[in-house]
Amino acid sequence: MFRLVRRAGATRGGGSGWEWAGEPVGFVWHRGLKSPAAGTPSVCLRASLSEDRGVCRRVHPPVYPVERVCVCPGSGSRGRGYWQEQDLELGTLAPLDEAISSTVWSSPDLLASQDSQPWTSDETVVAGGTVVLKCQVKDHEESSLQWSNPAQQTLYFGEKRALRDNRIQLVRSTPHELSISISNVALADEGEYTCSIFTMPVRTAKSLVTVLGIPQKPIITGYKSSLREKDTATLNCQSSGSKPAAHLTWRKGDQELRGEQKVQEDPNGKTFTVSSSVTFQVTREDDGANIVCSVNHESLKGADRSTSQRIEVLYTPTAMIRPDPPHPREGQKLLLHCEGRGNPVPQQYLWVKEGSEPPLKMTQDSALIFPFLNKSDSGTYGCTATSNMGSYTAYFTLNVNDPSPVPSSSSTYHAIIGGIVAFIVFLLLILLIFLGHYLIRHKGTYLTHEAKGSDDAPDADTAIINAEGGQSGGDDKKEYFI
């Protein structure tokens, strides 16, 4: 056993005034455990060690709530100790020396019994899902592990089922581990589950199972009929069944709207209903826009759960005049289109020309037609588009240009003929070039009958005589082409 003693001359509660009366060790305290001797929750102290001296001080807060973990590390420590006895009441802020005066620290031999302490972990599961509870122990001391529910009903003792609930199944059972699964988890399954091992004394570990309630699809209310431009709209969104309470957001297109959220507990006492309202002024650009309410909750794991409301905005019309063709000339046909836009769409169009009385045309057709333009049609024209929300007048200045020269049909015919003739002449030239090239490559010498023997004759007469006399038979009438 190791005990802290006060060094002579040290100040009361002073750090280095305490030293170890044995081999220095570090200490670990697990919350939820009770001191073996006193059987009450204890104050956690932290020891900072340097060789054979140490400083002990209380960790704030001085008393940890049940089920907390307190770790008291020490540099150079060669073992771990266990808080064995403490006389202080919970929440006591006594001086340091009083806090440890009645303290006895256990030796590392006592720590070996901690190998029989089971351990588990807290779990979070979505309602309707499956949770696995896993309990492990290092030294089972020839005893079996057991799982029990928050109502302290035994679920499994080793591999033996104790509670008839088909949702609860055995996953793994060994001397060192007991794992079970609970499927189709409901909100009523939430609570603290206990893993026990029946050693002397009995040791337990707790696993807090948190069940998340899935929020329902949000519902939007407050929109009744079409809104007029610059009206103020108020929409409400509500979603029930979330646990913990969900968060609602609003969007209009790419714009985020700021809403006011309220949370109300459901009658079952476990889930919540959240509601949010948003108020904004509408413009003509909002006509046909979708106002989206989305619910955000950890149980959705990023999945989208939203509802949209399409709104209709009534606004005064606008108009613009578009000519067809864009650059009209004298003698052409022209259409001036009055393109009206609004909600509702303009139903009536009135055409006027400045300086001209009465109005040119009043019709449901938005086009003003000029069958044959002339210079006198030039001027400024106005189109007034009217709906039951109001009217709007657009203007257009018409300038009639001079007629463009139009080529005659005879000129076109002559141009076509000229092109054909030019093409034929070009082909003939190409043909002549190829023919001349061919003749040049086949050039030779041609000898007549009279030219025979002319090589040895002094004159032409002698050559003829030699040719006639010096040849015989059929050779006299032959001609040669070399």
Side-chain angles (χ1 to χ4, degrees), residues 234-292:
T234 300
L235 300 178
N236 302 304
C237 182
Q238 180 175 291
S239 175
S240 302
S242 59
K243 177 183 175 297
H247 180 66
L248 299 176
T249 59
W250 291 92
R251 298 195 69 84
K252 181 179 68 173
D254 295 332
Q255 177 186 359
E256 185 173 350
L257 301 177
R258 193 183 207 95
E260 296 181 2
Q261 179 163 307
K262 296 180 181 179
V263 179
Q264 182 179 359
E265 190 177 57
D266 292 335
N268 59 21
K270 294 181 178 294
T271 59
F272 298 89
T273 295
V274 291
S275 59
S276 177
S277 62
V278 63
T279 301
F280 58 97
Q281 188 179 59
V282 298
T283 64
R284 62 181 58 201
E285 285 76 19
D286 295 330
D287 182 36
N290 286 319
I291 310 301
V292 180

